[in-house]
Amino acid sequence: MPRNAADYHGDNGLLYCGKCQTPKEAFFPKGLVLMGKNKHPVECACHKAERERQEATVKEQKHLDLVRRLKAEGFSDSAMLNWTFENDNGRSPQMHHAHRYVEQWQTMRTENIGLLLWGGVGTGKSFLAGCIANALMEQEVPVCMTNFARILNDSFSGRNEVVDRLCRYSLLIIDDFGMERGTEYALEQIYNIVDSRYRSRKPLIVTTNLTLDEIQHPQDTAHARIYDRLLEMCVPISCIGVSLRRETAQEKLERLKALIG
């Protein structure tokens, strides 16, 4: 340890820090003497505190950098960055499911348990899923939140690469599921992605405007095998009720009337 002008030797012969009055030296145990010395340097309390503070600062910065990178890579839309528990307005009765999922993430991950958030347009399904994504990324969990339109667009340049990339994430969230009522190619791609998550035992969260009855009773075999996989992997959560988007629009209208009335 470096010696400062204010440092001093105690009655026991050890060097003490002039700032915190704790030892900067310690005796070797059992009277041991090495190379003619019976004591060795140690950290005083203030030096240890400063070192730990600097280490904590570096650790926190590394954490922030990692979270920033995870969110940059994991979100297909920058608006999703604001879908957090802190920004919840308390109107979604299903939000406790999102909190619970994050709290029990290790179990969800181990047992490959996902969520199927179904209900009408504007009922907060995407926001709820985004809250889960942001909270887990804050815990340094790799999450991807995207939609099938983007997935299908990417798959034209490399079908297997897209499936492999999406399978690397600890959690995959597919927003606005239901546009798969399309071509044979699209249905095949969707099944490949859902099935790859199933086989790799990695959870999947899906939001959809489809009703649970539509998912449980598909009209053809192509959709049936996709929906069967989803129901096997995901716990259905009903997100029905008043459209939060409609409520927000009405509030803005009332606010505008108050301002110009």
Side-chain angles (χ1 to χ4, degrees):
M1 296 292 296
R3 181 174 180 177
N4 302 317
D7 292 347
Y8 61 94
H9 283 89
D11 294 338
N12 55 6
L14 295 176
L15 180 67
Y16 281 74
C17 174
K19 182 178 179 181
C20 63
Q21 286 78 52
T22 60
K24 300 180 77 170
E25 292 179 327
F27 290 111
F28 287 118
K30 299 180 180 180
L32 184 65
V33 176
L34 293 176
M35 300 180 70
K37 296 182 179 181
N38 65 344
K39 52 190 177 183
H40 60 91
V42 295
E43 275 188 312
C44 64
C46 67
H47 188 277
K48 180 181 179 182
E50 175 61 19
R51 175 180 58 78
E52 290 178 344
R53 186 193 65 79
Q54 292 180 2
E55 289 175 349
T57 299
V58 171
K59 182 178 180 180
E60 176 64 13
Q61 189 58 55
K62 287 183 178 179
H63 167 72
L64 293 175
D65 290 343
L66 176 56
V67 170
R68 194 176 299 114
R69 187 167 67 252
L70 286 175
K71 292 187 177 184
E73 296 174 354
F75 285 135
S76 59
D77 186 340
S78 60
M80 296 173 177
L81 294 169
N82 297 316
W83 296 351
T84 64
F85 289 129
E86 292 75 18
N87 291 333
D88 176 31
N89 58 18
R91 295 181 181 177
S92 174
Q94 293 82 14
M95 189 56 73
H96 71 279
H97 291 297
H99 282 283
R100 189 66 175 161
Y101 192 87
V102 173
E103 292 167 2
Q104 298 295 323
W105 164 247
Q106 291 304 325
T107 300
M108 303 297 110
R109 172 68 182 89
T110 302
E111 299 184 15
N112 188 21
I113 299 174
L115 299 177
L116 175 60
L117 308 174
W118 65 274
V121 175
T123 51
K125 303 181 298 295
S126 297
F127 180 81
L128 191 149
C131 288
I132 294 174
N134 273 291
L136 289 178
M137 288 185 195
E138 292 288 346
Q139 298 178 21
E140 301 185 2
V141 177
V143 180
C144 177
M145 184 169 180
T146 186
N147 56 58
F148 270 123
R150 185 176 295 271
I151 291 173
L152 291 174
N153 184 60
D154 293 342
S155 68
F156 283 110
S157 59
R159 182 181 311 185
N160 293 332
E161 291 179 7
V162 172
V163 174
D164 291 343
R165 177 175 62 81
L166 293 177
C167 239
R168 286 198 294 267
Y169 289 94
S170 299
L171 175 65
L172 175 62
I173 300 176
I174 300 176
D175 193 31
D176 203 18
F177 185 87
M179 58 74 58
E180 73 282 352
R181 303 163 182 255
T183 65
E184 182 179 338
Y185 171 80
L187 290 172
E188 187 64 27
Q189 281 299 96
I190 291 159
Y191 177 77
N192 287 340
I193 290 166
V194 173
D195 187 60
S196 69
R197 297 295 298 183
Y198 174 81
R199 294 183 182 281
S200 61
R201 293 195 54 78
K202 290 184 177 180
L204 172 69
I205 291 178
V206 168
T207 75
T208 181
N209 295 333
L210 297 171
T211 66
L212 187 58
D213 185 67
E214 287 177 300
I215 296 171
Q216 290 176 331
H217 303 95
Q219 296 181 351
D220 56 63
T221 304
H223 287 89
R225 67 174 189 158
I226 295 173
Y227 295 169
D228 285 348
R229 266 291 186 256
L230 282 180
L231 291 171
E232 190 174 354
M233 298 171 65
C234 304
V235 178
I237 302 292
S238 169
C239 298
I240 55 178
V242 178
S243 171
L244 301 181
R245 293 180 193 171
R246 197 172 303 152
E247 276 194 354
T248 301
Q250 184 62 34
E251 287 176 359
K252 289 183 178 179
L253 179 60
E254 296 298 330
R255 176 64 174 158
L256 178 61
K257 288 179 179 178
L259 290 172
I260 64 177

